[in-house]
Amino acid sequence: MTDFAIHVARFADLDAATLYALLKLRVDVFVVEQQCPYPELDGLDPLPDSRHIWGSRDGVPVGYLRLVHDPDGTPRIGRVCTARQARGSGLAGRLMSYALAEVGDRSCRLDAQSHLIDFYARYGFAAAGSEHLEDGIPHVPMLRPAMATRR
């Protein structure tokens, strides 16, 4: 398995070159590869409680996800992506583990591309609504319920 460096940062702590590389990765996967033109820059990246979690190889980001909070305060994972050359390496799972460590015992939401439901189920997420089209791609809302505090 290839070793990746894992990083976690607030928007304010990202330097311009890193921010550019992260946004490029997201656009390369979601807009170009998936042929889905949509407003990638949605205003959530710079929020003070947003966390950017990514994996890099040789200093280049090859996997990413974003942790934000819904208006009711519930954490939400989104923008989960892996560069083609890093797929199958376990990186997405490592990023999910880091994000869920940030979430802790609280509940957490995400909108999964339908073909990835089983992947997210491994992290305690279950379908929480009907499949719908989001930017032309089938998605299913998923929820990981709050966990009882362990003694």
Side-chain angles (χ1 to χ4, degrees):
M1 181 169 137
T2 304
D3 197 27
F4 298 97
I6 303 295
H7 314 269
V8 179
R10 291 179 171 92
F11 183 84
D13 298 327
L14 294 170
D15 62 65
T18 301
L19 176 61
Y20 179 87
L22 296 176
L23 295 175
K24 182 177 184 328
L25 174 61
R26 287 172 23 183
V27 168
D28 285 350
V29 172
F30 297 124
V31 178
V32 177
E33 182 181 332
Q34 295 182 0
Q35 300 177 356
C36 184
Y38 74 104
E40 170 57 28
L41 301 178
D42 59 5
L44 299 178
D45 292 317
L47 294 177
D49 63 352
S50 293
R51 295 293 176 276
H52 302 273
I53 303 172
W54 72 98
S56 63
R57 181 189 296 145
D58 300 323
V60 177
V62 291
Y64 173 89
L65 64 75
R66 179 177 73 182
L67 180 62
V68 298
H69 291 83
D70 285 345
D72 68 1
T74 303
R76 175 176 290 278
I77 293 172
R79 301 296 201 265
V80 181
C81 62
T82 307
R84 186 171 292 169
Q85 70 270 22
R87 291 184 192 147
S89 66
L91 177 57
R94 287 184 60 195
L95 296 175
M96 286 295 296
S97 294
Y98 271 79
L100 292 172
E102 292 267 335
V103 169
D105 291 339
R106 297 175 291 162
S107 64
C108 185
R109 296 182 184 120
L110 58 79
D111 288 314
Q113 289 188 7
S114 296
H115 70 280
L116 294 171
I117 290 171
D118 291 341
F119 170 75
Y120 293 115
R122 286 185 271 181
Y123 298 92
F125 288 88
S130 301
E131 184 178 73
H132 62 279
L133 286 180
E134 186 174 317
D135 300 312
I137 297 173
H139 282 73
V140 173
M142 298 187 81
L143 174 71
R144 187 192 77 160
M147 299 184 308
T149 304
R150 294 185 179 106
R151 294 179 186 210

